[in-house]
Amino acid sequence: MPKNTFYNLSDEKKTRIFDAALQEFSKRSFSASSLNQIIKNAGIPKGSFYQYFDNKEDLYLCFLEYASKENAELLSNFKGMEPDVDVFETVMNETREFHEKGKIMPKYIEVAMLMAVDNSEFILKIRKSSTDRYVKMVERDKERGLIKPEVDSELVINMISAFSYNEYFRNGSDKERYLKNLSNALKIIKDGIKNTEITKE
Amino acid sequence: MPKNTFYNLSDEKKTRIFDAALQEFSKRSFSASSLNQIIKNAGIPKGSFYQYFDNKEDLYLCFLEYASKENAELLSNFKGMEPDVDVFETVMNETREFHEKGKIMPKYIEVAMLMAVDNSEFILKIRKSSTDRYVKMVERDKERGLIKPEVDSELVINMISAFSYNEYFRNGSDKERYLKNLSNALKIIKDGIKNTEITKE
DNA sequence: TCATTATATGACTACCCGGTCACACTATAG
DNA sequence: CTATAGTGTGACCGGGTAGTCATATAATGA
């Protein structure tokens, strides 16, 4: 847990620290990340950092909490689940939105990707809760007769998120290419699980 | 490429080095791995190591070659690209074989998984060449009229490998579950890109 | 005003890393 | 026996890391 001195800091300084943390934690996994790099980017002296946090782990945990709050706020705009839009369109729209919004969000994707490798219990919990929302969308689409009922909803979401993370990394700065590939992959999955029976009345 | 001095080493010493490399490369990604740790475990002095190899990358490449030879007989069953088997069946068969054979294999699997997550340019190059084989299979299936011609072959392989790596990590020790999920995912992708036109004569 | 407390700071420690190099040793050939 | 070439070796280099600490400065309260 960060010390009181951290919470007493100006918002501007706190933001600067979190921004620097985001830069670093989205580039390297926790164990490979450099605290020196973070404080350099944040423009705060080494000594000051240790006035605010116990150590690197302390910062990481605090950062994750902050990041998931940021995340939740942004996603709340979409929570509505518009009735005419299927899960694939939603994923695509939200991803596109991520990129248009300040370009900060995609960095969180990288953080998540690097977290996935660490595979700690703590991270599994966060990931689970973030995919649940999409799993529910798949299930809704099943009920609407758009998707074969025997399909494993969680598996579909795992396919999408795995590809999304991976592809995001692979394409580096070429975001257009990433979005195009994601769109193509979504189309393949959609065609692969679409309900061919005419059960709609 | 290792130097002659390495090949002139006793088999016992060579094995000791590869064993130590396996231990390290299965625990940490290439860029996170420690050469010092490897030579310590292998019980050879730093100076000697550089008599055998140019650098850490040299050892890694050499180790990969050795590892893939170790599994040579395993993969040789499949290398032939049997004419009646499509890319999906091949992936599934190879994966199953990979996991069912031997107790040494899991370590090598860890190496492969960590490789998938490492983003250094060095690793990217290696990874590319290893997926090429599967990309070619997709293209062959296209020519055979099994897969829609407009599909991006590389994208398909990326979807499969991303899911495979991710799912492997997610399911931890539950290999049966992993294989089942992979099978289901392959089915979805297959259905998503199968050629529905009747162009076969 | 002055003493006390909280915060700011960067030089410093100890320990990693990959890689080099001068030197020691050994084997072979003349 | 001696010269030479091949191999073994660990101290060392430059640069990175996380974390510490004495001291300087600012803020606070009596």
Side-chain angles (χ1 to χ4, degrees):
Chain A
M1 244 181 52
K3 301 171 182 175
N4 284 333
T5 49
F6 175 70
Y7 294 112
N8 293 339
L9 250 38
S10 70
D11 282 356
E12 185 269 330
K13 211 165 193 176
K14 275 185 278 194
T15 306
R16 231 164 60 214
I17 292 172
F18 280 138
D19 281 352
L22 176 58
Q23 288 305 315
E24 185 65 12
F25 291 142
S26 66
K27 224 183 292 180
R28 300 179 176 88
S29 74
F30 172 75
S31 47
S33 66
S34 162
L35 180 58
N36 285 351
Q37 219 27 256
I38 293 174
I39 61 168
K40 205 175 92 183
N41 288 342
I44 59 163
K46 176 73 77 80
S48 295
F49 175 84
Y50 283 94
Q51 296 277 7
Y52 310 146
F53 299 94
D54 288 335
N55 47 40
K56 198 170 83 162
E57 275 124 18
D58 195 23
L59 168 65
Y60 193 69
L61 284 170
C62 180
F63 166 74
L64 284 184
E65 199 185 329
Y66 163 81
S68 63
K69 265 180 201 157
E70 284 267 296
N71 216 330
E73 259 172 56
L74 231 167
L75 283 177
S76 65
N77 303 338
F78 296 102
K79 278 254 165 67
M81 277 204 204
E82 295 165 42
D84 295 344
V85 179
D86 68 12
V87 62
F88 302 102
E89 228 174 301
T90 308
V91 167
M92 207 58 224
N93 286 341
E94 291 191 8
T95 307
R96 237 188 279 272
E97 190 83 0
F98 276 161
H99 286 269
E100 279 158 20
K101 277 255 167 84
K103 295 175 173 24
I104 309 161
M105 293 313 291
K107 289 272 178 210
Y108 291 124
I109 296 176
E110 288 168 11
V111 176
M113 176 70 184
L114 289 168
M115 280 196 313
V117 183
D118 279 350
N119 223 20
S120 80
E121 339 67 48
F122 171 76
I123 281 130
L124 281 177
K125 232 168 62 185
I126 294 178
R127 200 164 60 175
K128 177 91 174 71
S129 73
S130 78
T131 54
D132 266 359
R133 193 169 136 264
Y134 292 107
V135 172
K136 286 206 183 77
M137 286 188 215
V138 174
E139 250 134 43
R140 195 186 55 149
D141 285 350
K142 271 200 258 185
E143 280 162 27
R144 292 200 288 173
L146 296 173
I147 292 175
K148 283 181 194 158
E150 69 269 23
V151 162
D152 180 343
S153 303
E154 206 176 322
L155 182 100
V156 172
I157 295 306
N158 288 344
M159 284 177 74
I160 295 173
S161 69
F163 178 80
S164 179
Y165 289 149
N166 228 55
E167 199 64 17
Y168 184 80
F169 258 104
R170 192 195 313 278
N171 287 297
S173 56
D174 192 347
K175 303 312 172 201
E176 276 314 308
R177 194 184 150 85
Y178 160 67
L179 289 170
K180 190 168 160 290
N181 286 343
L182 178 60
S183 168
N184 286 339
L186 286 173
K187 173 136 191 358
I188 288 173
I189 295 173
K190 184 178 180 176
D191 286 348
I193 63 174
K194 72 165 168 238
N195 203 343
T196 46
E197 307 256 329
I198 307 146
T199 50
K200 254 305 184 59
E201 82 283 10
Chain B
M1 243 181 49
K3 302 170 181 176
N4 286 333
T5 49
F6 175 70
Y7 293 113
N8 293 340
L9 250 37
S10 69
D11 282 357
E12 186 271 331
K13 210 165 191 174
K14 275 185 277 193
T15 306
R16 231 163 61 214
I17 292 172
F18 282 138
D19 281 352
L22 176 57
Q23 288 307 314
E24 186 65 12
F25 291 142
S26 66
K27 222 183 293 177
R28 300 181 176 86
S29 74
F30 170 76
S31 45
S33 65
S34 162
L35 180 59
N36 286 350
Q37 223 20 258
I38 293 174
I39 61 168
K40 206 175 90 183
N41 287 342
I44 60 164
K46 176 72 77 80
S48 294
F49 175 84
Y50 284 94
Q51 296 279 5
Y52 310 145
F53 300 94
D54 288 336
N55 47 40
K56 198 169 82 160
E57 293 180 6
D58 195 21
L59 167 65
Y60 193 73
L61 282 171
C62 179
F63 167 75
L64 285 184
E65 200 185 331
Y66 163 80
S68 64
K69 264 180 200 155
E70 280 271 294
N71 312 327
E73 73 276 14
L74 208 163
L75 283 174
S76 67
N77 305 336
F78 300 101
K79 274 255 167 67
M81 280 202 198
E82 296 163 44
D84 296 343
V85 179
D86 67 11
V87 63
F88 301 103
E89 230 173 300
T90 308
V91 167
M92 205 56 224
N93 286 342
E94 291 192 8
T95 307
R96 227 190 287 274
E97 193 80 2
F98 215 62
H99 282 84
E100 280 169 11
K101 273 265 170 67
K103 289 95 197 161
I104 323 153
M105 295 309 297
K107 287 268 180 209
Y108 289 119
I109 295 173
E110 305 289 342
V111 176
M113 298 297 155
L114 287 170
M115 214 168 83
V117 145
D118 199 307
N119 283 298
S120 65
E121 290 123 41
F122 169 65
I123 296 296
L124 283 178
K125 238 170 43 192
I126 297 177
R127 211 159 57 189
K128 175 90 173 71
S129 69
S130 77
T131 54
D132 269 358
R133 187 167 143 264
Y134 291 108
V135 173
K136 286 205 181 78
M137 284 188 216
V138 174
E139 251 136 40
R140 195 186 55 148
D141 286 349
K142 270 201 258 183
E143 280 162 26
R144 291 201 288 171
L146 296 173
I147 292 175
K148 283 182 193 157
E150 70 268 24
V151 162
D152 180 343
S153 304
E154 206 176 323
L155 182 99
V156 172
I157 295 305
N158 287 344
M159 285 177 75
I160 295 173
S161 69
F163 179 79
S164 178
Y165 291 141
N166 221 58
E167 202 64 17
Y168 179 81
F169 270 117
R170 191 197 311 278
N171 288 296
S173 55
D174 192 346
K175 303 310 173 204
E176 275 314 306
R177 197 184 148 85
Y178 161 67
L179 290 170
K180 190 169 159 291
N181 287 344
L182 179 59
S183 168
N184 286 338
L186 286 173
K187 174 140 190 356
I188 288 173
I189 295 174
K190 184 178 180 174
D191 286 348
I193 63 175
K194 71 166 169 238
N195 203 343
T196 46
E197 307 256 330
I198 307 147
T199 48
K200 253 309 183 56
E201 80 284 13

